[in-house]
Amino acid sequence: MTISVIYFIVYFSIFLVLLYLLVFNRKRYSLKLTNQPRISILIAARNEEHTILRCLSAIDALTYPKEKIEVLIGNDASTDNTLAIVEDYIKDKPNYRCVTITENIGHTRGKANVLAQLAHHATTDYFFYTDADIAVPTNWVQKMLSALTDKVGVVTGITTITGNRFFHKMQALDWLYALGLVQVVSDKGLPVTTMGNNMLLRREAYESVGGFEGIKFSITEDIAIFNEILRKGWDFRNIYSRDVLALSLPAANFVQYINQRKRWMSGAMHLPWYMAIIFILHSAYYPVLIPFFAYTSVGVMGSIFVLKLIFQSIFLHICLRRLNLAVTWLYYVLFELYLVVSSVLLIIYFFMPVKTVWKGRKY
């Protein structure tokens, strides 16, 4: 019982600190652009016939000068109509180019290999990364560039899920909550991670580590390149703002969802110790709370549950408000139930002796 009490004291103390930092330590990065440099947008596409047009249409709607944007799409051995769809869309767009990837370079495989090869075709000093199932906002380029000081090598935007179904909304809240925790820590100047679906790399920083082909292969290639760039002394910026809010399509089914999360959990193994502590404390909440019932009453357990729900809901509500988003209060309760079920299932699946399936490949 003593250990459980100590755990809850530590858990809620840290949660209060995170809430305080969320409210009072928000960093805004908005430099005035003195020029508009040419930029490259790099997209890896493998069997994306149902999503690629949405992605390219959003890029075409960017308010940044079109003559200063080059778009490079890497066709990663697609077996559907992705290549034909892309070539038809870009036939009258000279600043778009589709590159078919047929071999690996360096230590790379899969998406990392595609992005490594696209970088060799890029002709600018600023690499913007997004995914084929992502729609970026119209002011994406300007706002990402506005956080790029001379010492910054990596800028990360914010991404969430779009969709009207209940499961889609829970995925969206999950993304925003987790990325809100990342943002709080990042605003203290502590590096955490980046996201390859909404990322800007300075070419000089990218090349300082030898690019994707120069680093150890990882199925979470974005985290790997982020860590290597920071080891070279570059700084980072994470932006939690509507201006850089990209919208991802949801996992189409539960199998796709658990494979996606298993890949992310593999990347989480490389998070810094302070984020590991936060995530471990969150993951241990119910394994500690349930046995605690043997030493206390239903009322005490209920009070502890409600306190977590209140803290968590306030945190999430602030995150949503900063993005001009909102949900009914019932969703905050349902989100807690979603976390319980999904966390248990994902932990079990993560430790099962099965390979991670990603874009039809096994790792």
Side-chain angles (χ1 to χ4, degrees):
M1 180 176 180
T2 302
I3 294 176
S4 298
V5 171
I6 293 173
Y7 166 82
F8 290 123
I9 292 173
V10 172
Y11 177 88
F12 287 113
S13 296
I14 291 178
F15 216 142
L16 279 173
V17 171
L18 293 172
L19 273 170
Y20 175 85
L21 293 174
L22 179 70
V23 176
F24 297 106
N25 192 57
R26 185 184 185 188
K27 296 291 189 297
R28 292 177 172 85
Y29 306 106
S30 185
L31 299 175
K32 184 177 181 180
L33 294 180
T34 56
N35 57 50
Q36 294 178 317
R38 291 185 65 247
I39 62 100
S40 304
I41 300 176
L42 285 62
I43 308 165
R46 175 172 169 79
N47 295 336
E48 301 285 359
E49 63 180 4
H50 300 298
T51 64
I52 191 67
L53 283 182
R54 173 177 175 270
C55 172
L56 296 178
S57 297
I59 290 172
D60 195 49
L62 290 170
T63 55
Y64 203 72
K66 284 182 169 47
E67 68 274 11
K68 294 190 175 184
I69 300 175
E70 70 172 1
V71 182
L72 302 171
I73 306 110
N75 173 40
D76 184 15
S78 295
T79 56
D80 63 1
N81 293 321
T82 296
L83 179 60
I85 292 171
V86 170
E87 288 183 337
D88 182 66
Y89 184 82
I90 69 175
K91 61 185 178 184
D92 59 347
K93 296 178 173 60
N95 57 324
Y96 286 64
R97 182 181 176 188
C98 184
V99 179
T100 296
I101 308 300
T102 58
E103 58 185 23
N104 294 342
I105 60 173
H107 303 292
T108 62
R109 287 184 288 160
K111 182 179 177 181
N113 175 57
V114 178
L115 297 179
Q117 298 196 43
L118 290 181
H120 289 289
H121 291 277
T123 62
T124 80
D125 293 327
Y126 304 96
F127 298 168
F128 282 74
Y129 295 85
T130 191
D131 286 348
D133 62 348
I134 295 284
V136 296
T138 55
N139 293 325
W140 183 52
V141 174
Q142 299 96 307
K143 295 301 181 180
M144 295 285 276
L145 285 172
S146 70
L148 199 66
T149 62
D150 291 342
K151 294 182 179 180
V152 173
V154 187
V155 179
T156 308
I158 181 76
T159 303
T160 192
I161 294 292
T162 185
N164 296 320
R165 295 182 179 178
F166 172 76
F167 188 44
H168 301 164
K169 291 182 182 296
M170 291 297 104
Q171 290 180 60
L173 293 179
D174 196 359
W175 280 47
L176 294 175
Y177 179 63
L179 293 177
L181 293 172
V182 170
Q183 189 65 39
V184 167
V185 177
S186 297
D187 282 345
K188 287 297 294 179
L190 299 172
V192 181
T193 188
T194 188
M195 290 187 299
N197 59 28
N198 194 344
M199 178 175 71
L200 163 60
L201 298 182
R202 186 189 294 273
R203 183 181 199 124
E204 184 182 353
Y206 175 82
E207 292 181 345
S208 71
V209 301
F212 284 108
E213 68 265 42
I215 65 175
K216 185 178 179 181
F217 171 73
S218 170
I219 59 173
T220 51
E221 77 296 326
D222 45 3
I223 299 176
I225 199 82
F226 174 81
N227 289 333
E228 291 302 321
I229 287 175
L230 265 58
R231 287 191 184 101
K232 288 291 185 177
W234 291 94
D235 203 354
F236 69 96
R237 293 288 184 268
N238 287 67
I239 310 174
Y240 202 102
S241 166
R242 178 85 182 191
D243 294 320
V244 293
L245 176 63
L247 299 177
S248 174
L249 293 175
N253 52 59
F254 185 71
V255 172
Q256 187 182 97
Y257 169 80
I258 60 174
N259 276 293
Q260 177 194 67
R261 298 309 171 98
K262 183 173 184 177
R263 182 171 69 88
W264 291 354
M265 289 172 72
S266 298
M269 298 297 103
H270 303 287
L271 290 176
W273 63 268
Y274 37 86
M275 287 306 298
I277 289 175
I278 292 174
F279 287 135
I280 289 172
L281 283 172
H282 272 70
S283 300
Y285 183 81
Y286 282 103
V288 174
L289 178 63
I290 294 173
F292 191 56
F293 178 72
Y295 305 102
T296 186
S297 64
V298 174
V300 172
M301 284 187 63
S303 299
I304 295 174
F305 171 82
V306 170
L307 188 59
K308 176 184 185 288
L309 181 61
I310 291 173
F311 281 15
Q312 181 175 284
S313 299
I314 292 173
F315 189 99
L316 186 53
H317 177 71
I318 294 172
C319 291
L320 289 170
R321 190 176 62 186
R322 288 181 177 174
L323 299 173
N324 295 326
L325 301 174
V327 295
T328 63
W329 281 99
L330 176 60
Y331 274 88
Y332 292 111
V333 178
L334 296 175
F335 177 62
E336 177 62 23
L337 300 178
Y338 159 87
L339 286 179
V340 175
V341 176
S342 63
S343 297
V344 171
L345 292 177
L346 288 171
I347 289 173
I348 294 173
Y349 185 69
F350 180 77
F351 288 105
M352 289 177 63
V354 294
K355 293 185 176 181
T356 301
V357 179
W358 182 35
K359 298 294 183 182
R361 296 186 174 113
K362 294 182 179 181
Y363 297 90

